[in-house]
Amino acid sequence: MATEVKAAVFEVPALTYPYEALEPYIDAQTMHLHHDKHHQAYVDNANAAIAKAPELANKSAEEILANLSAIPEAVRGALRNNAGGHVNHSMFWAIMGPNAGGPPTGPVADAIKKTFGDFAQFQEKLNDAGVKQFGSGWTWLALGASGLQVLSTPNQDSPISQGLHPILGNDVWEHAYYLKYQNRRAEYLKAWWNVVNWAEVNKRYEAALKK
Ligand code: MN3
């Protein structure tokens, strides 16, 4: 009997903390909808696209995003949006946590200071990029050939597709904040720093330095 080889499929990673753990900055209902419904939809849509292009089944979502021009045109847009959504949100859950926030620690703290002057100037820059991102998107700290940089991207576009390594990112889609903050995106961006897990951000920074 032939062994059935199951194609690799993407899965939503479980949260490592309770849904209510980021209160009062991010409410439990937003976390439930965002993690269980929105992220699941990106994963389902990415898997549906892979099913149409099974030659991609052995590629990681990051590999797909790093070279979108190599992806068959029939599924390129779907994977840009949905593999992007999967990678972006997987990072997002990981870089947040309870009993977090405060000033950065470790090597990323030094790099932020060196690049942006101090933490406050970096926060202002990242928040500003988030406020100015028209419509839906993300605001990022990413590592590139010339060091750290702040950028924003529309929709679920990943800095990976620009040859950058995302270190930290905040979701400025309305689904990330609307239940609690309504139209007040700037207020959400400011509050979000209270849930940043710098230990995890440092892990990503140190991994990116080696790439
Ligand atoms: Mn989102």
Side-chain angles (χ1 to χ4, degrees), residues 34 38 42 89 92-93 138 156 171 173 175-176:
H34 199 178
H38 290 278
Y42 296 122
H89 287 87
F92 188 59
W93 314 128
W138 290 75
Q156 294 297 347
D171 187 342
W173 284 58
H175 67 224

Side-chain angles (χ1 to χ4, degrees), residues 143-177:
L143 184 69
S146 55
L148 288 179
Q149 65 182 87
V150 166
L151 72 154
S152 66
T153 58
N155 306 313
Q156 294 297 347
D157 286 1
S158 169
I160 295 171
S161 304
Q162 300 180 34
L164 302 169
H165 304 294
I167 304 299
L168 168 154
N170 195 0
D171 187 342
V172 298
W173 284 58
E174 286 185 344
H175 67 224
Y177 64 85

